[in-house]
Amino acid sequence: MKYQTKMAALLFAALAALLFGIGIGSVYVAPGDILSILANHLLHTPLPKGLPVSYPAMVLNMRLPRVILAFLTGAALAMGGTVTQSILQNPLASPFGLGISAGAGLGAAIVITFGLTAVELGTFLLPGVSLGFSLATVFLVVFISSHLDKGVSNVTIILVGTVFSMFCNAVMNFLAASSPAYGERIQLWLLGSFSMKEWNAVCVLALITAIGLIFFLFYAREMDVMAFGEESAQAMGVDLIKLKRTLLAAIAALTGAAVAFVGVIGFVDLIAPHIVRRWFGAAHKKILPASALFGGTFLVLCDLAARVLLPAREIPIGVITALLGAPFFLYIFFTGRKGH
């Protein structure tokens, strides 16, 4: 099957998932009504006769920003996972495992526990602090790794990242236990949610995700070369240490921004790259856009499941992704061992 055909199929699946995500809920909105509401909002076409008055506001102000934010978050996490696995040459590597998500979670826990406020930032205070902590975490991981290992080997980065992730999680649990009034809010944030999100978050994450995709595509050739091994990459003139630092910083910014708005969501950055590579091959100019589409589609469907599986209750999105991701992790692990 040609690349264009595969991308068309993936794009069709993404659009279908978006329509399902918008339409299915406590009140069902048919795909035709959704398209009519969007056309009315964008092109000022008339709405269908008999359409309930509440539908346009529900679609445009509640469901649409939530579903688009879920898609953008999945796209950002999937791209971050794709690049992480490429530069560390480890099928089990992910931004989540490097401590980036845990660092963002620690920043959020501090804001929640100590009641930090800033009039200038408003609702962007918590995402801003979370993003700052995720960047600080990856910089510390690289700094310590470079001092422990002058060559900044992949194994060293993964081990140091795992230690930082465990440390940040321990501090978060301590804050939650020592502040019962905020403990539940911290735990809910750590499990992730797209509920009650507004358009300002969608716009910011859309801009960051687009910049992230363009930035990673710029380094697609270098990542393709790294697939042949670090020695081969160095022989072809790739500065591995500089490349790793640059891409890890970009991964931290992209993943941290996604996590900062919705909370910690794991396994998307592990599942999407594996499935996309099996279908699209290893060329990063192809798998990066495909990973973004697949990751976004996957997370929209996970969010839909989180909303409809239990009547009148919403399951945290992190629970859904973990239920799917944990068996997938074991599958990758044992498949890799059989391969060796």
Side-chain angles (χ1 to χ4, degrees):
M1 190 184 295
K2 292 183 178 180
Y3 172 72
Q4 291 83 356
T5 306
K6 293 177 183 178
M7 284 298 290
L10 201 51
L11 182 60
F12 177 79
L15 293 174
L18 289 170
L19 285 175
F20 281 128
I22 297 169
I24 297 175
S26 56
V27 175
Y28 175 72
V29 183
D33 291 336
I34 296 171
L35 295 175
S36 297
I37 291 170
L38 293 176
N40 172 260
H41 181 72
L42 297 173
L43 306 174
H44 305 291
T45 58
L47 289 170
K49 293 182 179 179
L51 185 74
V53 179
S54 61
Y55 278 21
M58 179 177 64
V59 168
L60 296 173
N61 300 328
M62 296 176 63
R63 293 189 183 178
L64 187 60
R66 174 180 183 139
V67 170
I68 294 178
L69 187 63
F71 184 87
L72 292 170
T73 302
L77 293 175
M79 286 192 294
T82 299
V83 178
T84 302
Q85 291 174 12
S86 296
I87 62 174
L88 298 183
Q89 297 176 17
N90 189 316
L92 299 178
S94 69
F96 187 88
L98 290 180
I100 296 172
S101 297
L106 178 58
I110 290 173
V111 171
I112 294 170
T113 303
F114 295 99
L116 302 180
T117 58
V119 177
E120 298 82 3
L121 295 176
T123 57
F124 284 100
L125 174 64
L126 191 147
V129 173
S130 298
L131 176 57
F133 268 73
S134 66
L135 289 169
T137 299
V138 81
F139 287 141
L140 284 171
V141 167
V142 173
F143 177 78
I144 294 175
S145 298
S146 62
H147 278 70
L148 293 175
D149 180 1
K150 296 299 181 183
V152 194
S153 70
N154 298 336
V155 174
T156 303
I157 294 175
I158 292 171
L159 289 175
V160 174
T162 301
V163 170
F164 263 85
S165 182
M166 294 172 66
F167 175 77
C168 290
N169 282 320
V171 176
M172 282 187 284
N173 287 324
F174 173 78
L175 291 174
S178 61
S179 307
Y182 301 105
E184 184 177 353
R185 186 181 170 192
I186 292 173
Q187 291 299 328
L188 287 174
W189 194 90
L190 293 176
L191 291 172
S193 174
F194 297 109
S195 179
M196 305 301 290
K197 303 301 178 182
E198 298 178 353
W199 280 108
N200 53 8
V202 175
C203 295
V204 171
L205 189 55
L207 178 62
I208 294 173
T209 303
I211 293 172
L213 176 59
I214 295 169
F215 183 84
F216 289 141
L217 286 173
F218 183 78
Y219 287 96
R221 177 189 167 276
E222 287 82 352
M223 286 189 282
D224 287 344
V225 172
M226 287 184 69
F228 296 101
E230 295 194 350
E231 292 183 0
S232 299
Q234 286 177 327
M236 296 181 70
V238 177
D239 187 341
L240 287 178
I241 295 178
K242 182 180 178 181
L243 181 65
K244 286 180 182 179
R245 288 174 176 172
T246 301
L247 291 179
L248 283 172
I251 292 166
L254 183 61
T255 304
V259 170
F261 282 107
V262 300
V264 178
I265 301 173
F267 292 105
V268 179
D269 48 9
L270 180 70
I271 295 173
H274 278 277
I275 295 176
V276 168
R277 277 197 179 94
R278 292 201 171 194
W279 203 21
F280 286 85
H284 284 83
K285 282 192 175 180
K286 294 181 178 180
I287 63 174
L288 281 167
S291 291
L293 278 175
F294 183 90
T297 303
F298 174 76
L299 203 52
V300 167
L301 295 176
C302 286
D303 181 53
L304 178 60
R307 287 188 281 128
V308 303
L309 284 179
L310 293 181
R313 294 189 65 183
E314 181 176 324
I315 304 171
I317 186 67
V319 173
I320 301 295
T321 57
L323 287 172
L324 297 172
F328 193 85
F329 182 93
L330 292 176
Y331 166 75
I332 297 169
F333 179 76
F334 285 112
T335 301
R337 291 190 65 180
K338 287 181 181 179
H340 290 298

